[in-house]
Amino acid sequence: MLEVLPADVADLIEQGGVIAYPTEAVYGLGCDPDNNDAIEQLLQIKQRPWQKGLILVAGDYQQLTPYIDESQLTAEQLQFAKSKWPGPFTFIMPVKPGLSQLLSGSFDSIAVRVTAHEGVKELCAAINKPIVSTSANLSGQDPALSALSIKQQFTGIIAGLVKGELGTQASPSTIIDAKTGTILRQG
């Protein structure tokens, strides 16, 4: 398994590779959100049904605009989401028409977050877009909390491991419905 710095991961992702990387609380598995083959590979590795959808994590809000339909949100709803970012808040937002169902699952929305984690911000800057993010584990198992755990579970299965440290957050992000303001999962 190739170990790379966040700034050097672009080639692996652009070639359709699935990578593991440290986030605010746990290691994530990620890939290019515009590459269906890579998304299918990620779902297969994780043994996750496509219907559940995935999260996109961005280094800044502008990276999310190709994926969300802002026209379905009021200025107040958008401002509320932006007031929580960067940070540990994932918002469920209307998905832009034509986006891969592998990202949105069986929903007409997509989960998005703007991270405060420096390594993830560097990674998104290197690929100039958000990255698919799902916890690095097989469905139903605990997420990986160390590089060693990633190596034990995913060597020979994923393209690379991004070097870096986990953030200090103890739990996954809070998930909020952007339209209603309802908290769907407390972080």
Side-chain angles (χ1 to χ4, degrees), residues 99-159:
L99 199 66
S100 172
Q101 272 202 302
L102 295 175
L103 291 174
S104 58
S106 58
F107 307 98
D108 59 359
S109 58
I110 189 163
V112 294
R113 181 169 80 244
V114 177
T115 186
H117 188 278
E118 287 303 319
V120 180
K121 286 167 64 169
E122 276 185 63
L123 194 156
C124 292
I127 62 173
N128 200 29
K129 63 172 77 173
I131 188 160
V132 171
S133 186
T134 184
S135 57
N137 60 296
L138 301 179
S139 285
Q141 294 186 6
D142 290 337
L145 298 175
S146 70
L148 178 61
S149 179
I150 293 294
K151 290 175 186 174
Q152 289 170 340
Q153 291 183 65
F154 298 108
T155 292
I157 299 171
I158 63 172

Side-chain angles (χ1 to χ4, degrees), residues 11-80:
D11 286 344
L12 287 177
I13 294 171
E14 286 166 7
Q15 294 164 8
V18 173
I19 60 157
Y21 58 98
T23 71
E24 296 88 344
V26 300
Y27 275 79
L29 290 178
C31 66
D32 182 344
D34 300 318
N35 184 329
N36 275 347
D37 291 339
I39 299 167
E40 285 177 0
Q41 181 185 355
L42 182 146
L43 292 169
Q44 187 174 15
I45 289 167
K46 191 168 167 72
Q47 300 171 7
R48 180 183 174 93
W50 71 269
Q51 293 88 346
K52 286 186 167 186
L54 294 160
I55 295 175
L56 293 183
V57 176
D60 63 62
Y61 177 76
Q62 287 309 112
Q63 292 175 338
L64 295 174
T65 57
Y67 305 91
I68 58 176
D69 186 354
E70 291 179 316
S71 71
Q72 293 188 46
L73 297 169
T74 66
E76 293 79 18
Q77 290 165 334
L78 270 174
Q79 184 52 42
F80 177 66

